[in-house]
Amino acid sequence: MGGPRRRRRAWVIGGAVLVLVCALGSAYWWSHTSGRIAALAVAADVPAGQVLTDRDLRTVQVAADSTVSLVPASQRESVVGQTAAVPLAAGSLLSRSMLGAPAPPQTGQAMVAMPVDAGRFPPSLTAGSTVTVVAIGTRQDSAPAATPSAVPGGSGPRWPGVVLAVAPAADGRGGAVVTLRMAAADATDVAATGAVALVERHPGEN
């Protein structure tokens, strides 16, 4: 009689432990996924006009309440085969506004995509904004971010440009990948510089 009772007791204890493990696992999963969705991000640099392949995309978990129009990971098949309307930088989140037939730059102009750290561009920045790019030194991910207003008046080269697209960086640190249209010579310099800040200006100002 003792044997069957001991086995039943072991089964009960084992079942209780299993339920506890499942409950803890569910709580852990919920705490790490609640309020987040699977969205598409750019896995490798893609120039404007190039057709997207599956290897150009990756899936990331992002905040579900993002104000940016993201592309859900479930729509991956519909994105593959589409054309990049602007240069896509690796690590940026994808939005539908970044897809379609690209508008070629006018003579003497070029498009350039650059990473900008959190706090170094106005939150209101959007396509069509007129900006000045200010070089502020070597890019260091661990360095504290400075706001554009904190940039000394005489520091670093400056280049004017117009924003074509703003995509949040997929690393979740609050930075963005900003695509600009500017003079071709300036675009080459901007692409070669380190950390930058973007100052939004009134359209038409020098």
Side-chain angles (χ1 to χ4, degrees):
M1 297 292 292
R5 289 179 180 175
R6 282 195 296 270
R7 285 194 294 271
R8 284 197 297 271
R9 186 178 303 166
W11 291 340
V12 171
I13 295 174
V17 171
L18 180 61
V19 170
L20 178 61
V21 170
C22 291
L24 291 175
S26 297
Y28 177 86
W29 178 86
W30 176 255
S31 66
H32 283 71
T33 60
S34 179
R36 302 181 74 82
I37 62 172
L40 292 179
V42 182
D45 291 342
V46 178
Q50 180 170 306
V51 174
L52 291 171
T53 68
D54 189 68
R55 289 181 297 180
D56 296 324
L57 306 171
R58 66 187 179 97
T59 299
V60 296
Q61 296 291 327
V62 296
D65 60 348
S66 173
T67 57
V68 179
S69 179
L70 304 177
V71 180
S74 59
Q75 298 181 14
R76 188 181 190 121
E77 291 186 1
S78 68
V79 172
V80 173
Q82 293 201 40
T83 304
V86 296
L88 307 181
S92 60
L93 293 171
L94 192 67
S95 69
R96 288 288 178 182
S97 63
M98 301 161 71
L99 304 175
Q106 297 178 359
T107 302
Q109 293 189 331
M111 295 186 293
V112 60
M114 73 186 82
V116 186
D117 292 333
R120 288 176 172 163
F121 62 95
S124 60
L125 203 65
T126 185
S129 297
T130 299
V131 297
T132 296
V133 183
V134 182
I136 56 177
T138 303
R139 181 177 175 80
Q140 296 179 349
D141 292 338
S142 59
T147 61
S149 59
V151 177
S155 68
R158 303 181 178 206
W159 306 274
V162 176
V163 176
L164 298 180
V166 180
D171 58 12
R173 297 181 181 178
V177 177
V178 181
T179 302
L180 298 176
R181 182 180 68 243
M182 55 185 11
D186 291 348
T188 301
D189 291 338
V190 167
T193 195
V196 300
L198 298 183
V199 180
E200 186 172 7
R201 308 183 68 91
H202 187 278
E205 285 189 354
N206 296 324

